[in-house]
Structures are given as C-alpha cells and as structure tokens.
Amino acid sequence: RILNITCPIRAITTIPCPGCGSTRAVLSLAKFNFADYFHYNAMAVPAAFAVVVFICSDMDIFKKFLTKKVTYAITIPILASDMVYYIYRLIFNLIP
C-alpha cells in the first residue's frame, strides 16, 4: 500500500480494474483456500499465464515454440474470457 491506496486505477476512477483482487486470489490459492480464490478473482492465474506466454514469445529460446499464431491462440481467448468475467463482476457488484 502506498498512501493507503491498494489499486491506483480504482483510487483515481472509483471503478475497479479487471485485476482487482488478483493478489489476494493468488495468496488464497497458495494457502489452498479455493473458495477465497474464486471470491477474489477466478481469472488471476489464467490472466497471469497469458501475460507470461506473451512476454516469453519475444524471447529467443521460446520463439521456436511460441509463434505469433500460437501466442495469439493462447492469449486472446484467455484475455477475452477475463474481460467477460470482469464485466459480469461489475454488473453484479462482485468485486471485493
């Protein structure tokens, strides 16, 4: 926390971002507390995986396996699902 702000996007706009709750979700998952993981943000791990795949696709050792088509085939569905889940959470006020 910096200046008692946990999410800068939420502090500025008063609207939670798609990643809100991700840190608490991953910490809950590390404690094998699956109920809290899904409560905080069920897309935390898939979104992090998509970001890692996207970053690794630019590294020379992964370029052979992670072509542009493969990278997009992995990341786009995950991030699109994340956005649908985010909108669902916004509509039903499910973001803690």
Side-chain angles (χ1 to χ4, degrees):
R1 291 181 176 212
I2 299 172
L3 302 173
N4 205 22
I5 297 172
T6 55
C7 176
I9 294 172
R10 193 175 200 165
I12 293 169
T13 66
T14 69
I15 300 170
C17 69
C20 278
S22 292
T23 303
R24 290 176 286 174
V26 171
L27 291 174
S28 296
L29 192 60
K31 296 175 187 175
F32 297 103
N33 189 343
F34 299 107
D36 280 351
Y37 169 76
F38 286 105
H39 170 73
Y40 289 127
N41 191 343
M43 289 300 292
V45 172
F49 174 73
V51 170
V52 168
V53 167
F54 195 77
I55 291 170
C56 288
S57 69
D58 280 341
M59 296 179 180
D60 289 334
I61 60 173
F62 294 110
K63 280 189 178 183
K64 184 176 183 180
F65 305 105
L66 291 175
T67 62
K68 291 273 187 206
K69 280 186 179 182
V70 172
T71 301
Y72 292 151
I74 293 171
T75 58
I76 290 175
I78 292 173
L79 296 178
S81 299
D82 190 23
M83 292 313 297
V84 170
Y85 179 65
Y86 169 64
I87 292 168
Y88 169 80
R89 291 173 62 201
L90 274 179
I91 291 170
F92 293 103
N93 198 24
L94 298 174
I95 301 175

